[in-house]
Amino acid sequence: MITLSPDQSGALDHVLSLLHGGARVVTLAGAAGTGKTTIMREVLDRSGFPFVLAAPTGKAALRLEELTGQPAMTLHRVAYAGARELDDGSLVFHRREAGSVTPWGAIDFDRTNRHEYNDQAAKLLRGLDRALLIIDEASMVGTRIMMDLIGGVDVDGRQVQAVLGEGIQILAVGDHCQLPPVKAEPAFDLEGADARLDRVHRQAEGSPLLALATELRTDRAVLDRHHLARYGFRARRSSATELGHRIAVQLDMVGSDFVVLVSTNRQRLAVNRAARAALLLPPMSEGPACGERVILLDNNYGIPCANGEIGTVLEARPWTVQDWLGEAACGWTMTVDLGDRVAQVSTTADAWTRTQPAGKGGRVLKSERDRLKRIDYSGGLHGVEAGRVRGQLVGCAPAYAITVHKSQGSEWPSGVFVMSRNDWLGDQAWMLDYTGVTRFRETCDFVYGVNA
């Protein structure tokens, strides 16, 4: 039996009261360590509603499964029935029919998908007049997808019909101090949430790292060496090359459960290049190496794998296919240890070796997918192989360093945080520092001066 603190008990009672009162959208906000997950579990146990768990990204959905012990999916799988990729690499999502997601069992999801809706809950839905959609990491959700879910008036003044039927209520849970969604307005006002948790409980309230994060949050402060000194930390200057050697040593000591968080893609690329050199890995042009740590950049529900998952390459072998006109595609197929499972994934040579920080670096572009499709449809042995590759296809990149934006929804026991001047973020610069610090559960080393 979980014993809730007075503030947690009050937040839980208020959330349940609003849900039982029929509120369409209820928001619960809380900083790192205040007990948001605890309240979420209690809502699942006490509300009496059948429920669906969702998160903005595949990695966050997997994390939600770990925390609750219940199946979870991406929010896009709730709202959309697929997507079309444009030539510039952007995605156009196909909305589900208005009102098609209802509490009467009309949610049409692929039951074979481990990230999808669970059959038991689907049976519970039939004949009931309400169900609950719980959205974790709600700070990352933009207004567009929420409008598609619950309806509203778009920027052109047109009425958007809701995908969710009237019987679906939403509980949005998130950290009001984390970074907002990229290139989108936040869907929820978590600063003014219906219920908010402010008292830190995690790590016995005595963690210097969590105390540092709390100061950044309460003072809206940008991280500097004075903040670090107050909690027993210090920052030291480090080049990308020095940090690459540090990564090689740490990975040898603690394995894959270690990461370097950076602010920009330029820093990410520089540190990853240095780490690969220190680990004596072959050039990028020769493909992923056995033992290499990679981050997956696409959701693939057939494998299954999620955008943002990090794993270790156990085996990599090249593939090349071509059609009868000589059009060819090539890349690598990898066996990747993702921690709780081993997955077989493929990527293209263009995606793996693309190193420019701008654009869609690391993602498999539409032109590459179309080339494989044409080879697949041409038939013959090459077509069979192209079809197999297409079924395993994901973008991936080295993952010794990742950006703070990409780290949202993940946690590590320890790692390195690269301090930077983030003037380009304006008033949100403190949010990047807070988000980065709260990705680590136990300890973190701080460095500065890492330039591309």
Side-chain angles (χ1 to χ4, degrees):
M1 181 69 178
I2 295 175
T3 302
L4 300 178
S5 65
D7 64 318
Q8 291 173 336
S9 181
L12 174 62
D13 290 344
H14 189 49
V15 166
L16 290 176
S17 174
L18 291 172
L19 291 174
H20 284 293
R24 185 67 189 276
V25 180
V26 179
T27 51
L28 169 65
T34 56
K36 298 186 298 296
T37 302
T38 298
I39 300 302
M40 196 166 17
R41 291 197 194 100
E42 291 299 299
V43 169
L44 297 181
D45 290 340
R46 302 189 193 188
S47 69
F49 299 163
F51 57 85
V52 177
L53 298 179
T57 68
K59 174 60 178 176
L62 286 176
R63 177 68 177 158
L64 184 57
E65 286 188 1
E66 294 172 3
L67 292 173
T68 63
Q70 299 290 339
M73 71 183 87
T74 63
L75 197 56
H76 282 75
R77 298 289 286 185
V78 179
Y80 307 115
R84 176 169 55 90
E85 188 174 6
L86 302 181
D87 290 336
D88 64 359
S90 60
L91 297 175
V92 176
F93 292 96
H94 305 305
R95 295 175 70 250
R96 296 187 185 275
E97 293 183 9
S100 62
V101 180
T102 76
W104 296 283
I107 304 178
D108 182 22
F109 296 136
D110 175 10
R111 298 295 196 271
T112 65
N113 185 337
R114 72 182 299 273
H115 302 301
E116 291 305 340
Y117 199 71
N118 54 332
D119 286 327
Q120 183 179 3
K123 294 174 184 176
L124 290 172
L125 287 177
R126 294 183 175 88
L128 297 178
D129 61 354
R130 67 173 69 182
L132 182 60
L133 171 62
I134 297 182
I135 303 173
D136 195 23
E137 298 289 352
S139 62
M140 300 167 63
V141 179
T143 54
R144 173 62 186 274
I145 190 170
M146 277 307 298
M147 184 176 294
D148 286 338
L149 286 169
I150 65 174
V153 179
D154 66 15
V155 293
D156 297 321
R158 293 173 297 194
Q159 182 67 40
V160 177
Q161 299 299 313
V163 166
L164 298 184
E166 292 184 359
I168 305 288
Q169 296 172 261
I170 293 174
L171 172 60
V173 182
D175 187 335
H176 53 290
C177 296
Q178 279 197 22
L179 289 165
V182 179
K183 299 181 181 179
E185 291 295 317
F188 304 104
D189 176 19
L190 294 178
E191 192 70 37
D194 296 310
R196 200 165 113 176
L197 300 168
D198 289 309
R199 181 186 169 192
V200 172
H201 298 274
R202 195 177 69 194
Q203 297 167 309
E205 299 182 293
S207 163
L209 194 61
L210 199 52
L212 170 62
T214 301
E215 180 174 337
L216 297 178
R217 168 174 60 88
T218 55
D219 294 348
R220 303 296 196 262
V222 176
L223 188 63
D224 60 30
R225 282 174 282 179
H226 300 293
H227 289 108
L228 296 178
R230 278 199 286 273
Y231 298 99
F233 298 105
R234 70 180 185 90
R236 62 182 183 84
R237 178 178 290 277
S238 177
S239 67
T241 300
E242 291 170 336
L243 198 50
H245 286 289
R246 166 79 182 279
I247 291 169
V249 172
Q250 288 291 334
L251 290 181
D252 183 55
M253 293 173 58
V254 303
S256 61
D257 216 4
F258 174 89
V259 72
V260 174
L261 295 186
V262 298
S263 299
T264 68
N265 277 316
R266 290 187 183 278
Q267 290 175 327
R268 174 181 63 84
L269 291 167
V271 174
N272 279 330
R273 282 195 296 266
R276 295 186 88 254
L279 290 164
L280 303 179
L281 297 181
M284 289 285 288
S285 59
E286 296 184 19
C290 183
E292 178 138 33
R293 192 169 69 171
V294 295
I295 183 169
L296 306 184
L297 302 175
D298 292 294
N299 296 321
N300 188 321
Y301 297 103
I303 290 174
C305 67
N307 180 11
E309 281 195 273
I310 293 176
T312 302
V313 177
L314 302 178
E315 180 187 11
R317 60 184 184 277
W319 57 263
T320 301
V321 295
Q322 65 182 41
D323 65 10
W324 60 280
L325 291 176
E327 183 174 15
C330 61
W332 294 273
T333 294
M334 296 163 283
T335 304
V336 182
D337 183 356
L338 295 171
D340 62 340
R341 66 198 182 284
V342 174
Q344 195 87 355
V345 303
S346 295
T347 196
T348 64
D350 286 346
W352 173 255
T353 57
R354 198 179 299 118
T355 57
Q356 295 303 312
K360 304 295 179 181
R363 281 192 56 195
V364 179
L365 299 183
K366 180 177 183 294
S367 59
E368 298 168 289
R369 295 180 185 275
D370 287 346
R371 182 179 299 115
L372 280 168
K373 185 183 295 185
R374 286 192 294 270
I375 296 173
D376 182 13
Y377 290 170
S378 71
L381 292 177
H382 286 296
V384 171
E385 180 64 21
R388 186 179 299 114
V389 168
R390 285 178 58 219
Q392 302 169 339
L393 202 59
V394 297
C396 67
Y400 308 104
I402 64 175
T403 63
V404 173
H405 279 90
K406 198 69 175 176
S407 74
Q408 288 182 271
S410 302
E411 281 188 337
W412 291 268
S414 61
V416 174
F417 183 74
V418 178
M419 300 166 57
S420 301
R421 288 178 57 90
N422 298 310
D423 299 337
W424 51 280
L425 280 170
D427 293 339
Q428 295 177 355
W430 69 271
M431 288 184 172
L432 186 141
D433 289 339
Y434 168 81
T435 303
V437 169
T438 54
R439 297 310 87 201
F440 301 107
R441 293 191 299 271
E442 298 170 6
T443 186
C444 173
D445 290 337
F446 297 88
V447 302
Y448 64 95
V450 176
N451 298 314

